[in-house]
Amino acid sequence: MGLARMAHRRSTLCSLSRCLTQPGLWSRGFASLPDPIGEEQGPINSKDGKVLHPELLNTNFVNAEYAVRGELYLKGEELRKQGKEIIFTNVGNPHALGQKPRTFNRQVMSLVTCPTLLDHPKVGELFPADVIARAKQCSTYFNGGLGAYTDSRGSEGVRKEVAAYIEKRDGYPSSPDQIFLTDGASPAVRYMLNAIIRNDKDGILVPVPQYPLYSASIQLLGGKLLGYYLREDSNWSMDIPSVKRQVAQARSEGIAVRGLVFINPGNPTGQCLSYDNLKDIIQFCQEEEIVLMADEVYQTNIYQDERPFVSCKKVMMDMGEPYSKHELLSFHTVSKGALGECGLRGGYVETTNIHPGTVDQIYKIASINLSPNTTGQLGMALMVNPPEEGSESYEQWKQEESSVMESLRRRAQIMTDGFNACEGVSCTFTEGAMYSFPRLDLPQKAVQAAKQAGKSPDTFYCLKLLEDTGILTVPGSGFGQEEGTLHLRTTILPMEEKIKEVMSLFQNFHKKFMDEYR
């Protein structure tokens, strides 16, 4: 060390020693140490004695919104606590509205959850033989039982069953190594968005209307949401020219368009995309080098035979190269379909044509959570691999499955017809998923009343509906809607004996509302 540097170091140490021996320094804390660079203050760390003061939180955290459980939901909870009956049609939560779980699935889960039952001498009297066999098989997927961690991607045995399900559905190979099990589809979506979004110049194309998981997650991650409008006049189909315009506009502003989300069947719109529509989406994303994010969680919720569900992966593989080599992320869950097991929190993402190095990075991030919950993984195994035809439990399972789906089809028709019978309301038929998204043409007087109340017109309407009838819906503004239009979203999930009453309540309220503000 040179003499000059040694002298400077001794001088610095002496200065520090003098500072540390100043009276009262320790009681004042390290903030009293002189700033060697200057007296500039850093960011404010606390306010009113609170580090986590609302004004000092991450702005992306504060600005994120989730309308499905927003203002209307909080108001509904308030009214419920006051004793009012609330009909929660704001969220796709089938069991909360009376749907029963599948007998076979819950029997298997009972045995896997409590494995000592498998050794009980009377287990054969309590459970069908195929339930016992399936429980024994599923138990081998969880080393140490459901109370132990699995691989961070999820149990290999479950992932193999998911891969077999995808192969059977599409007719193309699927690898368990490209599948990540997650606590519902929502965490899988967030994983992928986190990987894609690098900064506020990275954009994600999202349909409008959209499920607010996407807008909230993109906001939290600091990315740019790029909305493209679905065409309501053609049953909410995708409009590729609209997507192209959005991409061109974004790139002119220096935004890197990294991913395109589509929801099929649609939420909140209930449409099923056609095979040709999917081909157009795939071709566009391949040409523009945009990752496809296929939200297919409602793939078994189909109510119109003319428009069946077709997976994005199948269409992409049917198209051949170069399209069959395109990057695709596909999501599914146990929360929807005839199962409706929302509380189990079981989901997956299949990573098709994703770079192996990126898959390794996703694995690393999944490892931070150690493992997805095991009950949700078991629920996924039972969803993708139900009882075989001819087995002891098959007929009951089939009857329960068909009963739910046929009822949902009837409920979709009841809701559509009911809305369309109202003055100033129009609603496309719910081809799939669990929702109706009727359009409202409200009187100008109601629009002015909403403005005076500091509410958007659709929020104003939905609040009045909630207070008058107890029906909890979500205003269309929570999902995004074309300028000058108003909507609301409601599920079609109230049981059949209840849904006619719900529609009657709605119609009576709507007539009264229109008369009041005419």
Side-chain angles (χ1 to χ4, degrees):
M1 183 181 293
L3 292 175
R5 290 182 64 190
M6 289 176 67
H8 175 72
R9 187 177 181 186
R10 281 197 300 271
S11 174
T12 301
L13 290 172
C14 288
S15 297
L16 181 59
S17 176
R18 286 194 297 274
C19 289
L20 293 175
T21 56
Q22 288 177 17
L25 175 65
W26 294 104
S27 63
R28 295 197 300 272
F30 282 105
S32 299
L33 282 168
D35 185 350
I37 299 174
E39 298 299 325
E40 294 181 7
Q41 298 294 315
I44 298 172
N45 191 51
S46 66
K47 185 172 182 178
D48 301 333
K50 299 292 184 183
V51 173
L52 291 181
H53 189 280
E55 295 178 15
L56 301 179
L57 298 175
N58 181 333
T59 54
N60 289 327
F61 187 91
V62 173
N63 291 334
E65 295 184 1
Y66 186 68
V68 173
R69 292 204 173 181
E71 179 184 2
L72 269 293
Y73 174 76
L74 296 175
K75 182 65 176 179
E77 279 292 290
E78 178 188 325
L79 293 173
R80 183 186 63 80
K81 290 174 182 176
Q82 293 172 8
K84 188 176 182 66
E85 181 189 1
I86 303 301
I87 304 165
F88 289 92
T89 66
N90 62 308
V91 63
N93 193 12
H95 289 201
L97 290 170
Q99 183 172 308
K100 303 301 181 186
R102 303 282 74 75
T103 301
F104 176 84
N105 298 50
R106 288 302 181 88
Q107 287 177 329
V108 174
M109 292 181 76
S110 298
L111 292 174
V112 179
T113 304
C114 187
T116 55
L117 290 175
L118 285 168
D119 299 323
H120 195 281
K122 293 189 176 181
V123 66
E125 299 175 23
L126 299 171
F127 296 94
D130 59 339
V131 167
I132 297 169
R134 185 74 165 114
K136 288 179 177 179
Q137 178 189 29
C138 289
S139 294
T140 66
Y141 298 162
F142 303 97
N143 185 24
L146 287 186
Y149 291 133
T150 66
D151 186 280
S152 299
R153 292 170 297 186
S155 159
E156 183 180 16
V158 177
R159 287 185 285 116
K160 284 180 176 178
E161 292 204 358
V162 172
Y165 162 82
I166 294 170
E167 286 188 18
K168 182 178 179 181
R169 181 194 68 190
D170 297 337
Y172 293 100
S174 176
S175 168
D177 293 335
Q178 306 303 314
I179 292 165
F180 289 80
L181 304 180
T182 53
D183 295 339
S186 297
V189 169
R190 290 194 292 270
Y191 273 161
M192 299 304 108
L193 287 173
N194 204 356
I196 295 170
I197 296 171
R198 301 164 300 180
N199 52 52
D200 61 1
K201 291 296 184 182
D202 282 344
I204 307 295
L205 290 157
V206 177
V208 179
Q210 55 97 31
Y211 178 47
L213 162 69
Y214 293 97
S215 53
S217 299
I218 292 166
Q219 176 69 56
L220 279 170
L221 295 168
K224 181 76 171 177
L225 185 146
L226 307 172
Y228 64 88
Y229 288 106
L230 301 178
R231 292 186 56 192
E232 185 171 10
D233 60 356
S234 62
N235 206 25
W236 301 107
S237 64
M238 279 192 70
D239 182 19
I240 295 300
S242 171
V243 181
K244 289 181 177 179
R245 286 193 296 272
Q246 181 61 275
V247 170
Q249 177 65 30
R251 287 175 175 166
S252 72
E253 297 171 0
I255 302 296
V257 183
R258 303 267 288 166
L260 180 145
V261 173
F262 69 91
I263 307 172
N264 182 39
N267 177 11
T269 51
Q271 88 289 357
C272 290
L273 295 177
S274 69
Y275 190 97
D276 287 340
N277 217 178
L278 287 167
K279 283 180 65 177
D280 291 341
I281 296 165
I282 294 163
Q283 182 174 352
F284 173 77
C285 287
Q286 169 66 20
E287 292 170 354
E288 299 294 336
E289 296 186 332
I290 297 171
V291 176
L292 274 162
M293 299 181 69
D295 183 333
E296 298 174 333
V297 301
Y298 297 100
Q299 59 188 261
T300 58
N301 289 98
I302 304 298
Y303 314 122
Q304 189 162 299
D305 296 335
E306 309 88 78
R307 188 66 69 86
F309 168 80
V310 184
S311 79
C312 184
K313 181 179 179 180
K314 173 175 174 49
V315 177
M316 196 171 79
M317 294 302 171
D318 285 351
M319 292 171 71
E321 293 190 24
Y323 308 106
S324 59
K325 300 295 184 182
H326 192 68
E327 296 164 284
L328 170 66
L329 303 165
S330 305
F331 307 95
H332 199 11
T333 180
V334 303
S335 298
K336 311 306 175 185
L339 286 182
E341 295 277 20
C342 302
L344 292 186
R345 308 312 300 135
Y348 75 74
V349 56
E350 183 185 25
T351 58
T352 303
N353 297 326
I354 303 300
H355 192 288
T358 298
V359 174
D360 289 343
Q361 292 297 321
I362 297 168
Y363 192 5
K364 177 191 71 178
I365 297 302
S367 299
I368 294 172
N369 291 327
L370 294 175
S371 92
N373 88 83
T374 51
T375 309
Q377 294 184 54
L378 176 57
M380 179 59 70
L382 296 171
M383 182 188 82
V384 299
N385 190 5
E388 295 181 0
E389 189 170 358
S391 66
E392 191 173 349
S393 298
Y394 177 77
E395 287 303 325
Q396 182 181 17
W397 176 87
K398 184 67 176 175
Q399 188 278 326
E400 291 175 349
E401 181 90 359
S402 300
S403 175
V404 170
M405 295 310 299
E406 289 167 6
S407 176
L408 283 169
R409 186 189 298 250
R410 290 192 294 269
R411 283 178 267 170
Q413 195 68 61
I414 290 168
M415 295 295 275
T416 303
D417 292 346
F419 284 129
N420 285 325
C422 294
E423 175 193 0
V425 181
S426 60
C427 185
T428 58
F429 179 68
T430 301
E431 295 178 334
M434 298 176 169
Y435 313 100
S436 289
F437 197 62
R439 180 168 173 169
L440 307 172
D441 184 11
L442 301 181
Q444 191 59 35
K445 188 178 175 182
V447 174
Q448 289 300 319
K451 186 176 181 180
Q452 290 171 6
K455 307 289 183 186
S456 65
D458 50 1
T459 299
F460 180 78
Y461 180 92
C462 290
L463 280 168
K464 293 284 188 182
L465 174 66
L466 172 63
E467 292 165 353
D468 190 271
T469 66
I471 300 172
L472 178 55
T473 58
V474 188
S477 51
F479 301 91
Q481 53 195 349
E482 200 160 359
E483 187 73 27
T485 68
L486 300 170
H487 300 80
L488 65 80
R489 189 195 79 164
T490 177
T491 71
I492 61 169
L493 295 176
M495 295 294 99
E496 279 192 77
E497 60 270 21
K498 184 75 173 178
I499 202 164
K500 292 180 181 178
E501 176 191 340
V502 171
M503 182 48 65
S504 178
L505 285 170
F506 176 85
Q507 290 176 332
N508 291 337
F509 161 79
H510 183 75
K511 183 179 186 307
K512 185 170 69 174
F513 182 94
M514 296 295 280
D515 288 344
E516 179 180 353
Y517 292 101
R518 197 176 302 279

